[in-house]
């Protein structure tokens, strides 16, 4: 069975949660491999509508083992809230949700650092979600982070928290002019989290390796998209982990050669939350129309998402960097009432025409070169086969395939789990 990595092909919020929820019907293991609760995956099914920020989107399929891998940073309060929410809907997590003992914790002082640093930037914030993600990853890289497995090592945990409280207090008092961090409060929080999360915390490596040896179907669920990748995204308007399949490999503990399918997920248009260049952004009535029809409001922050036409240059760049084998195009139905639909097929930078994503400073100056395609002016939500779609919709999708140079395997035509068209064998 294939190991499939689900990767965002744009700036995030592409519909990866729906894709994972759909594919998890046949999955044995679903692994969340990067990020934290700074982005959400919205899922709508027979149980209701859920915005998951940490739980793997396979949690709604009873046969799927769900893993939060070592590449994730975990806010225990958010995670416990999500566990309670799905269990109220009748979804059991016991015996099928597992947290890697190598995953790092997000503490309240990480969130506070995020807020204070954004405020210090004045009118030029990075546009973070202020969830403490980068401060937690920063501590991880600085080798002073606390991991879930440390809950079981009480003496070591107490010693580390005292050191962290001292170091963070010096920063807070000296730089931010804020009150000190109390080690006792940190220890009390860990005790409270440990009591409730201990049944879920294990060494996830044997579980994942056993699935690989048994040739079971494994889904690797990523967060955000290539344009927010720490190395290949529009730095510094990026996240603090890698969003590429390489991140799926390290963040889940799976050798790269085991990942045989890489599904890039994109919307039929482009959205972004936060700051940074977005060449096809529409700051006009058309952008507002896309936002309202697509309900483009952040699952984490509820901020309005920036909306624009499909950016074929960015999507192709993402496909080349991440090595997409297939593409999923979501929310095609949002264009059902449009007379004309545009695709950004190239960038213009001065006298030059670009077919790739340049350095961030240059990206801020590019102008999109658009192709106009006819709309189809009819509903697509009932379509279940490619041939059910109107000719103009198929032309639009074919042009995306040509520009991105990747075959489309899935098309989203509505919010429900069943509102999906499978275009390639082996995906349904």
């Amino acid at each position: 069975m294939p190991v499939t990595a689900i990767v965002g092909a744009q700036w995030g919020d592409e519909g990866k949660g729906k894709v994972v929820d759909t594919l998890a019907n046949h999955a044995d293991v679903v692994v969340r491999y990067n990020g934290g609760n700074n982005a959400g995956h919205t899922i709508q099914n027979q149980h209701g509508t859920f915005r998951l920020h940490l739980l793997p989107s396979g949690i709604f399929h009873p046969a799927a083992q769900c893993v939060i891998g070592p590449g994730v940073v975990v806010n225990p309060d958010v995670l416990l809230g999500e566990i309670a929410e799905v269990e109220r809907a009748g979804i059991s997590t016991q015996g099928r949700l597992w947290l890697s003992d190598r995953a790092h914790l997000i503490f309240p002082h990480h969130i506070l650092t995020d807020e204070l640093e954004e405020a210090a930037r004045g009118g030029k914030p990075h546009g973070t979600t202020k969830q403490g993600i980068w401060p937690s990853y920063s501590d991880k890289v600085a080798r002073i982070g606390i991991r879930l497995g440390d809950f079981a090592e009480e003496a070591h945990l107490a010693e580390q928290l005292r050191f962290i409280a001292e170091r963070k207090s010096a920063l807070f008092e000296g730089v931010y002019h804020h009150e000190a961090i109390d080690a006792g409060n940190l220890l009390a929080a860990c005790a409270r989290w440990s009591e409730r999360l201990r049944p879920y915390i294990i060494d996830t490596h044997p579980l994942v390796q056993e699935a690989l040896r048994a040739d079971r179907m494994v889904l690797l669920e990523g967060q955000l998209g290539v344009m927010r990748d720490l190395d290949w995204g529009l730095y510094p308007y990026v996240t603090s982990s890698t969003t590429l399949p390489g991140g799926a490999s390290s963040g889940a503990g799976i050798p790269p050669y085991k990942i045989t399918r890489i599904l890039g997920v994109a919307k039929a248009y482009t959205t972004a939350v936060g700051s940074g260049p977005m060449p096809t952004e529409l700051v006009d009535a058309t952008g507002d129309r896309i936002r309202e029809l697509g309900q483009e409001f952040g699952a984490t922050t509820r901020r309005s998402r920036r909306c624009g036409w499909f950016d074929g240059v960015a999507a192709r760049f993402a496909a080349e960097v991440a090595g997409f084998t297939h593409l999923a195009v979501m929310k095609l139905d949002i264009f059902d009432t449009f007379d004309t639909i545009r695709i950004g097929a190239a960038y213009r930078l001065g006298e030059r025409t670009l077919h790739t994503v340049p350095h961030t400073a240059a990206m801020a100056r590019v102008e999109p070169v658009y192709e106009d395609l006819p709309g189809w002016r009819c509903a697509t939500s009932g379509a279940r086969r490619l041939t059910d779609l109107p000719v103009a919709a198929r032309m639009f999708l074919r042009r995306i395939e040509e520009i991105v140079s990747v075959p489309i395997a899935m098309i989203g035509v509505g919010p429900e789990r069943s509102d999906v068209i499978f275009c390639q064998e082996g995906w349904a």
Side-chain angles (χ1 to χ4, degrees):
M1 296 291 287
V3 175
T4 302
I6 311 299
V7 179
Q10 296 167 316
W11 275 255
D13 304 307
E14 301 96 345
K16 295 182 293 298
K18 177 182 171 65
V19 169
V20 174
D21 178 54
T22 301
L23 297 180
N25 188 46
H26 304 292
D28 298 291
V29 181
V30 179
V31 185
R32 170 73 186 277
Y33 64 80
N34 76 316
N37 61 299
N38 53 324
H41 290 170
T42 301
I43 295 171
Q44 189 169 323
N45 55 34
Q46 72 271 26
H47 302 287
T49 300
F50 302 85
R51 293 178 177 86
L52 303 182
H53 302 85
L54 284 168
L55 284 179
S57 298
I59 197 68
F60 299 102
H61 297 269
Q65 295 286 302
C66 294
V67 175
I68 294 178
V72 178
V73 289
V74 177
N75 181 322
D77 290 325
V78 171
L79 178 59
L80 287 166
E82 290 186 14
I83 291 172
E85 180 185 10
V86 299
E87 291 194 335
R88 282 195 299 270
I91 308 300
S92 175
T93 60
Q94 295 295 325
R96 47 185 301 266
L97 172 65
W98 307 108
L99 317 180
S100 171
D101 56 5
R102 291 174 170 86
H104 280 247
L105 285 163
I106 296 175
F107 283 90
H109 63 258
H110 290 133
I111 299 171
L112 182 57
T113 302
D114 202 346
E115 294 171 348
L116 293 171
E117 190 64 25
E118 280 290 272
R121 294 183 183 278
K124 296 184 178 180
H126 284 167
T128 79
T129 56
K130 301 178 183 177
Q131 299 298 317
I133 307 303
W134 73 259
S136 179
Y137 275 115
S138 179
D139 281 0
K140 177 179 180 176
V141 173
R143 293 167 296 198
I144 60 170
I146 300 296
R147 304 195 291 180
L148 286 166
D150 292 332
F151 286 160
E153 306 292 336
E154 294 182 6
H156 167 77
L157 178 62
E159 180 182 353
Q160 286 299 106
L161 291 177
R162 281 194 295 270
F163 172 76
I164 289 169
E166 268 184 37
R167 185 163 176 173
K168 297 299 180 183
S169 292
L171 173 68
F172 276 26
E173 292 177 319
V175 175
Y176 299 122
H177 307 294
H178 195 279
E179 64 185 34
I181 302 298
D182 187 285
N185 289 340
L186 299 182
L187 194 57
C190 286
R192 175 169 55 85
W193 295 332
S194 175
E195 181 181 2
R196 298 181 63 188
L197 290 177
R198 191 169 293 171
Y200 300 102
I201 301 171
I202 64 169
D203 178 0
T204 57
H205 177 71
L207 184 155
V208 172
Q209 291 303 309
E210 175 56 31
L212 296 178
R213 284 192 292 270
D215 200 29
R216 299 192 181 107
M217 183 173 177
V218 178
L219 287 180
L220 307 179
E221 179 180 4
Q223 179 227 48
L224 291 169
V226 171
M227 300 308 292
R228 296 296 191 197
D229 182 74
L230 183 59
D231 293 308
W232 290 99
L234 296 174
Y235 189 91
Y237 308 104
V238 294
T239 192
S240 298
S241 60
T242 179
T243 62
L244 304 181
S249 175
S250 61
I254 290 178
Y257 71 89
K258 290 284 189 181
I259 302 175
T260 54
R261 299 193 305 189
I262 302 170
L263 181 65
V265 184
K267 285 175 184 161
Y269 48 95
T270 302
T271 65
V273 174
S275 306
M278 180 182 163
T280 63
E281 182 176 10
L282 297 168
V283 188
D284 58 14
T286 301
D288 293 340
R289 183 181 177 192
I290 293 173
R291 184 178 303 107
E292 290 301 321
L293 289 171
Q295 284 299 289
E296 296 297 347
F297 303 95
T300 298
T301 63
R302 305 310 296 162
R303 287 185 292 183
S304 296
R305 293 181 183 134
R306 302 158 63 191
C307 296
W309 300 115
F310 186 87
D311 188 331
V313 182
R316 177 168 180 156
F317 175 81
E320 291 171 343
V321 170
F324 297 155
T325 60
H326 299 83
L327 198 65
V329 178
M330 312 307 289
K331 291 196 172 185
L332 181 71
D333 55 302
I334 300 307
F335 284 146
D336 284 354
T337 60
F338 281 62
D339 293 316
T340 301
I341 302 166
R342 310 189 89 182
I343 294 178
Y347 297 149
R348 185 171 292 113
L349 181 61
E351 300 299 318
R352 299 163 56 202
T353 298
L354 303 182
H355 295 278
T356 189
V357 173
H359 186 275
T360 306
M363 186 72 159
R365 301 195 306 274
V366 303
E367 296 180 359
V369 178
Y370 286 117
E371 294 180 3
D372 289 352
L373 287 83
W376 42 91
R377 300 288 299 177
C378 63
T380 58
S381 57
R384 294 296 178 266
R385 298 182 301 273
L386 188 60
T387 53
D388 293 338
L389 292 175
V391 172
R394 281 179 274 162
M395 287 174 53
F396 172 73
L397 294 167
R398 191 176 306 118
R399 187 61 185 132
I400 287 177
E401 284 186 322
E402 290 170 354
I403 292 172
V404 181
S405 297
V406 175
I408 295 174
M410 295 174 62
I411 303 164
V413 290
E416 299 287 345
R417 181 184 286 171
S418 60
D419 292 330
V420 172
I421 298 170
F422 293 98
C423 313
Q424 301 279 333
E425 291 185 5
W427 289 94

